[in-house]
Amino acid sequence: MEPISFHPAAEALHVCKQNGTDVRYYLFDECEIHLNRLAPGSVQEWHFHTQVDESILVTGGELLCRWQAQGRTFCRTLRAGDVVRVGSTVHTLENASPAEAQFTVFRFVPQGTDRRACFLHDKTVVAAPCAEVSARPAEAFAPAANDRRGKQPA
């Protein structure tokens, strides 16, 4: 596992799509996170994923999530704080509201093992560092060897 690394917004891969989605991509070796802003009245293309597992966290506004299952089309309104995990389901997102919608997408390629216990229990509590060290500004530390600032995603 790698040590802490920081990825400023200015270094994200920024794409403005014709469908009204403004996206900032953060690509990592084993996952991807992208921040999305969907303009009022915009609709994303219907699509699905064959290998990628995608979870969507709505952070502002409202989205209509439409999906197809068993030969039918379904629709559900998502609001800030709601999460949808789409799996391999054919789906689309629409902003039918008069305000911009924001959402964060977390993507990874599943390995087929149940990792819930790891997520729940992988935390080791340590004593807090002394005040002198914790009060140092971040700039006082040299960049880590894995600091990817200025590097384009592969």
Side-chain angles (χ1 to χ4, degrees):
M1 187 167 353
E2 295 183 22
I4 193 169
S5 63
F6 298 92
H7 307 273
E11 295 172 4
L13 178 60
H14 184 212
V15 178
C16 294
K17 297 183 176 184
Q18 290 182 345
N19 66 15
T21 309
D22 182 274
V23 189
R24 295 190 186 276
Y25 293 95
Y26 296 86
L27 300 167
F28 303 99
D29 293 344
E30 297 183 18
C31 67
E32 172 198 341
I33 300 169
H34 55 271
L35 309 177
N36 298 264
R37 298 168 94 72
L38 191 59
S42 297
V43 181
Q44 294 187 334
E45 298 82 6
W46 282 91
H47 66 284
F48 70 99
H49 308 280
T50 58
Q51 296 181 53
V52 171
D53 193 333
E54 184 173 80
S55 295
I56 301 165
L57 167 64
V58 179
T59 55
E62 289 186 359
L63 287 172
L64 293 179
C65 179
R66 296 188 201 293
W67 71 98
Q68 296 177 342
Q70 299 142 3
R72 296 178 51 204
T73 299
F74 299 89
C75 181
R76 182 168 176 165
T77 300
L78 304 172
R79 294 178 179 84
D82 290 343
V83 172
V84 59
R85 184 173 178 194
V86 297
S88 60
T89 303
V90 175
H91 65 282
T92 184
L93 297 174
E94 175 182 353
N95 181 358
S97 77
E100 180 181 81
Q102 301 96 35
F103 56 101
T104 301
V105 177
F106 302 90
R107 297 175 60 171
F108 65 97
V109 179
Q111 300 299 311
T113 58
D114 185 341
R115 305 296 295 163
R116 285 178 277 201
C118 179
F119 296 132
L120 291 172
H121 303 293
D122 185 25
K123 177 179 176 181
T124 303
V125 177
V126 298
C130 65
E132 178 183 328
V133 174
S134 63
R136 290 173 59 189
E139 294 77 25
F141 296 93
N146 72 333
D147 190 339
R148 297 182 181 139
R149 288 184 285 175
K151 296 180 184 173
Q152 291 294 320

